[in-house]
Amino acid sequence: MPNFFRKSVLLLLILFSISLSAQEKKELDITSDISQIDEVKYPGALVMYKNTKQVYIQHEGIEMWCDLAFHYKDENFVRAIGNVRMKQGDTISMRSNYAEYNGDTQFAWASGGVNLRTPTATLDTDTLYFNRIKQQAYYRTGGTLRDTASVIESKIGRYFLDQDKYSFIQNVVVTNPEYVINSDQLDFYSETGAAYLYGPSTITSETSTVYCERGYYDTRNDNGYFVKNSRIDYDNRTVYGDSLYFDRPTSFASATNNIRVIDTANNSVIKGHYAEVFKEKDSVFITKRAVAITVQDQDSIYVHGDRLVVTGIPEKRIVRGYYNVRLFKSDMSGKCDSIHINQANGLTQMIGKPVLWSDLSQMTGDSIHLKSNTKTEQLDSLHVFENAFLVQQDTIPLFDQEKSGFNQVKGDVLYGTFQDNALHQIDIIKNAESINYMRADDGVLQGIDKSKSASITAILEDNALVEITKFKQVDGEVYPLSKFPKESREFEGLNWRGEERLLTKEDIFKGEAPFTLTKIEGIPLPEIDEDFFDNTIPEEELDIPEASKLNPSDLKNREEDAPTIGVPINEKATIKKDSLAPKPSKPAGKQPLKQLPTLKVQDSTDNES
């Protein structure tokens, strides 16, 4: 016989032998101090008792102890009663009042004070099913898991030994000394303390409440990452964002994309696409198209800058804006390098090349202060420091040039007062100069008044100059247009920037490059494992020994116990019919989550489907 042929035959014999061995079902090995047979009371059973030592049962790597056992040898089945203990290697141990074990199927069922222990946690429940082939345990009558940091309660739970993972469904509550988590569905990895939240979920503490519909929380280090309709509620602030990060020990939160920070204490909101919130410092930093919106006298004021910083307690809130600051109000707009807003005293400081527009009027100076009445929330006054310059474009073009002229008032310092939130009176103090195009009621130009004086008071109606009063005039004359040289029609330093005026709230972004949202690291839907019980097996074919207390209905999956959210890995895994995630057309590979997932998604508010 050729050597190759002999080796092939030998290999086939070995494989056949292994196959036969795998099909052989080992019998239960049971020892006890006392045993007896009572066919009248317990037909087919060997009754085994504890005297000094508990009844000891061994099978395929599992050990059991109990005070009383009924061994049905023909069915390779045992019922254990009283102080039942079960141990599988160094991985799990279980205690209960009652247990059953089937040596053929390696299926265990325990009831009455069930306590399951693993190296990282303990589980208490009333009834527990344990499939040693799948290495999974399951309960559906309520259970409580305790690990080093938290206590987790749920109606339904499933433990995957190979992943050290628990899947909790319905009325899930995680209780920690610092917070409480409520969720519809939660996956928990006992070794790392990682919790994945699915469906409407809240994390509540004395100082904050986090809400999300998909999230990750590290129960060991007390921080988390949340997407899908996520928000954080503080005492007087609510933070919204496509994704949120929250660290409880430092009271720090950050948010990315479509952010809103609502300040309920000051009736304001900040928007942007990246934000950091420091609760202990009562501060918010926001950038990427950052906008602060404050309501004053039923009108909103929009302030935009490269970055905005809000600090201080509600009674002393400060808003700072840096670089390329723009502000818009229905009747006023402006620009400056930076801005400082004190909401406590109503003072707004525009710093660095400030400019204010009101209709066709423009105001500039080294810095501009606006003062609001904190009680009425109306603008009260303004103050322009150094090089104050008020310009108003004349309404009718001059016949000897294409553009209109400019009414101008300038001086060292300017003070203004408001009536009904509109600029009414302006006082120019020291070195005041003015150029005023004087027109009749029908618009005909009567002359051009140019003068110098110690101070000037100007009255405005409907944002137009209607009256100018000069005090201690030292020079002045009214010229006809033909006698007024073009080079004298503008004061030195005039810089009309009317084309930069903000006409709508959207103009605060005018001239900026198009903005692209950051791609968010998403949290994928959970992969739903095969059902714990196999519903395809007819009831009459279920391997249930006659002496078992179990009924066929006990070994069936119930639709109301199925998870609501997730992606089944194959046709043997189901979710509720009203679930937001239908079964895939093709089986998906099983990839258990061990850490924060890194699946990239375009945006985190996608539908479950």
Side-chain angles (χ1 to χ4, degrees):
M1 180 182 295
N3 186 52
F4 172 78
F5 182 73
R6 285 199 301 270
K7 288 183 177 180
S8 299
V9 172
L10 180 60
L11 179 60
L12 287 173
L13 291 174
I14 291 173
L15 292 173
F16 182 70
S17 175
I18 293 174
S19 176
L20 287 177
S21 299
Q23 295 175 12
E24 292 179 359
K25 297 176 181 178
K26 291 187 178 180
E27 294 184 354
L28 297 172
D29 182 7
I30 305 179
T31 58
S32 66
D33 292 343
I34 304 172
S35 61
Q36 67 179 47
I37 296 176
D38 189 338
E39 287 293 333
V40 176
K41 290 185 178 181
Y42 312 108
L46 177 63
V47 185
M48 313 179 82
Y49 298 90
K50 166 191 173 182
N51 184 15
T52 59
K53 295 181 180 179
Q54 283 191 298
V55 180
Y56 176 68
I57 306 159
Q58 187 177 15
H59 183 261
E60 295 280 4
I62 192 170
E63 298 176 284
M64 293 177 62
W65 295 264
C66 63
D67 294 342
L68 172 64
F70 296 90
H71 180 203
Y72 297 86
K73 188 173 183 179
D74 291 343
E75 296 179 291
N76 205 21
F77 172 74
V78 65
R79 293 171 54 212
I81 302 171
N83 297 312
V84 180
R85 291 183 296 141
M86 186 180 296
K87 183 178 180 183
Q88 178 179 278
D90 296 328
T91 55
I92 64 168
S93 62
M94 184 178 69
R95 292 178 179 270
S96 64
N97 298 329
Y98 177 83
E100 295 182 1
Y101 181 75
N102 189 326
D104 291 345
T105 61
Q106 297 190 44
F107 186 86
W109 171 65
S111 67
V114 182
N115 177 268
L116 178 72
R117 291 180 177 271
T118 71
T120 54
T122 63
L123 171 68
D124 292 292
T125 183
D126 179 68
T127 302
L128 186 73
Y129 305 91
F130 180 33
N131 187 324
R132 294 190 62 214
I133 302 298
K134 290 185 176 181
Q135 286 293 286
Q136 295 177 20
Y138 178 74
Y139 67 83
R140 57 188 176 194
T141 56
T144 302
L145 180 77
R146 292 175 174 83
D147 81 328
T148 56
S150 308
V151 177
I152 306 177
E153 300 174 87
S154 70
K155 180 184 176 184
I156 300 160
R158 190 170 177 182
Y159 177 50
F160 301 83
L161 276 73
D162 57 342
Q163 303 175 54
D164 201 14
K165 166 191 169 183
Y166 293 85
S167 289
F168 299 107
I169 302 171
Q170 295 186 25
N171 306 322
V172 185
V173 180
V174 182
T175 304
N176 182 281
E178 301 297 326
Y179 58 85
V180 175
I181 300 176
N182 289 272
S183 182
D184 285 350
Q185 190 171 322
L186 185 149
D187 284 353
F188 180 74
Y189 293 85
S190 186
E191 182 178 353
T192 62
Y196 292 84
L197 290 67
Y198 305 101
S201 306
T202 59
I203 305 174
T204 306
S205 70
E206 291 185 0
T207 57
S208 65
T209 299
V210 178
Y211 174 87
C212 72
E213 293 176 16
R214 204 179 304 172
Y216 161 86
Y217 200 74
D218 184 340
T219 62
R220 302 279 197 274
N221 296 310
D222 227 358
N223 55 48
Y225 171 67
F226 314 101
V227 296
K228 193 170 177 59
N229 299 326
S230 54
R231 72 172 185 264
I232 302 174
D233 293 314
Y234 293 113
D235 295 335
N236 48 60
R237 278 197 182 104
T238 300
V239 183
Y240 295 85
D242 285 358
S243 74
L244 296 175
Y245 170 80
F246 180 60
D247 184 79
R248 188 177 307 282
T250 59
S251 296
F252 169 79
S254 65
T256 303
N257 291 357
N258 299 309
I259 299 158
R260 287 178 297 148
V261 181
I262 298 175
D263 190 332
T264 55
N266 289 287
N267 199 24
S268 62
V269 59
I270 304 176
K271 296 182 177 182
H273 294 293
Y274 179 75
E276 295 181 353
V277 181
F278 301 84
K279 184 181 184 302
E280 296 301 322
K281 298 180 180 179
D282 222 323
S283 68
V284 177
F285 165 87
I286 193 163
T287 186
K288 297 185 179 179
R289 295 178 79 88
V291 184
I293 307 169
T294 305
V295 177
Q296 283 193 352
D297 193 33
Q298 299 181 345
D299 191 8
S300 295
I301 299 176
Y302 298 82
V303 177
H304 164 59
D306 292 345
R307 57 175 175 155
L308 299 176
V309 180
V310 182
T311 58
I313 60 176
E315 297 78 18
K316 299 180 180 180
R317 198 79 91 206
I318 301 292
V319 179
R320 296 178 178 89
Y322 298 96
Y323 313 120
N324 304 314
V325 174
R326 291 99 179 270
L327 63 87
F328 175 83
K329 190 174 177 288
S330 61
D331 56 359
M332 183 181 294
S333 63
K335 289 183 176 182
C336 57
D337 291 339
S338 61
I339 197 167
H340 184 285
I341 303 172
N342 188 323
Q343 295 181 344
N345 60 21
L347 177 62
T348 297
Q349 302 175 60
M350 300 176 66
I351 305 165
K353 301 178 182 178
V355 56
L356 272 179
W357 295 281
S358 181
D359 198 21
L360 295 178
S361 297
Q362 173 183 290
M363 196 178 306
T364 58
D366 288 359
S367 63
I368 298 176
H369 289 187
L370 291 165
K371 190 74 164 58
S372 298
N373 187 308
T374 56
K375 293 183 179 179
T376 64
E377 295 185 340
Q378 289 188 338
L379 286 172
D380 183 69
S381 62
L382 65 83
H383 188 179
V384 181
F385 295 87
E386 305 301 328
N387 301 310
F389 209 131
L390 174 65
V391 184
Q392 186 179 76
Q393 190 174 27
D394 195 30
T395 55
I396 303 174
L398 302 175
F399 72 87
D400 64 342
Q401 61 186 47
E402 295 181 357
K403 64 179 182 178
S404 304
F406 296 98
N407 294 311
Q408 302 159 59
V409 181
K410 62 176 291 190
D412 288 356
V413 180
L414 181 152
Y415 293 97
T417 57
F418 292 80
Q419 281 188 1
D420 299 325
N421 236 21
L423 190 60
H424 172 67
Q425 179 174 319
I426 292 174
D427 295 299
I428 302 288
I429 309 300
K430 196 176 180 181
N431 299 320
E433 299 181 71
S434 66
I435 295 176
N436 182 32
Y437 287 79
M438 303 170 62
R439 293 186 179 276
D441 292 341
D442 59 3
V444 175
L445 182 65
Q446 296 178 322
I448 303 172
D449 180 14
K450 182 176 183 181
S451 64
K452 294 181 180 179
S453 58
S455 62
I456 294 176
T457 295
I459 303 298
L460 294 87
E461 291 181 3
D462 298 325
N463 294 316
L465 285 170
V466 296
E467 180 182 332
I468 294 179
T469 303
K470 305 158 193 172
F471 298 92
K472 297 181 180 180
Q473 181 172 325
V474 295
D475 184 25
E477 189 175 345
V478 176
Y479 301 88
L481 182 64
S482 59
K483 300 294 184 180
F484 196 52
K486 292 182 180 181
E487 61 270 16
S488 300
R489 296 177 186 178
E490 296 180 359
F491 287 130
E492 182 180 355
L494 171 63
N495 180 19
W496 174 248
R497 299 166 60 185
E499 69 283 355
E500 298 179 42
R501 278 189 308 155
L502 313 180
L503 303 179
T504 67
K505 62 183 180 181
E506 288 76 18
D507 284 348
I508 59 177
F509 303 115
K510 187 166 63 174
E512 295 185 358
F515 185 80
T516 302
L517 293 177
T518 301
K519 288 187 177 181
I520 293 173
E521 299 294 329
I523 297 177
L525 292 168
E527 291 185 337
I528 304 303
D529 204 89
E530 295 181 2
D531 296 340
F532 186 81
F533 300 111
D534 188 350
N535 280 5
T536 63
I537 302 176
E539 289 189 1
E540 61 273 13
E541 295 181 15
L542 288 173
D543 193 354
I544 302 177
E546 290 186 8
S548 173
K549 289 187 176 182
L550 290 172
N551 296 311
S553 59
D554 296 323
L555 302 183
K556 292 290 184 180
N557 300 293
R558 303 179 304 196
E559 183 180 347
E560 63 267 25
D561 298 333
T564 302
I565 298 172
V567 179
I569 64 169
N570 56 33
E571 66 280 356
K572 293 183 178 180
T574 58
I575 54 178
K576 286 185 179 179
K577 292 180 180 179
D578 60 350
S579 170
L580 299 175
K583 291 183 181 180
S585 56
K586 295 182 179 180
K590 182 179 178 182
Q591 297 178 345
L593 298 173
K594 283 293 187 180
Q595 56 187 0
L596 185 64
T598 57
L599 176 67
K600 291 187 177 180
V601 294
Q602 184 63 32
D603 102 47
S604 60
T605 57
D606 58 313
N607 292 327
E608 296 285 4
S609 58

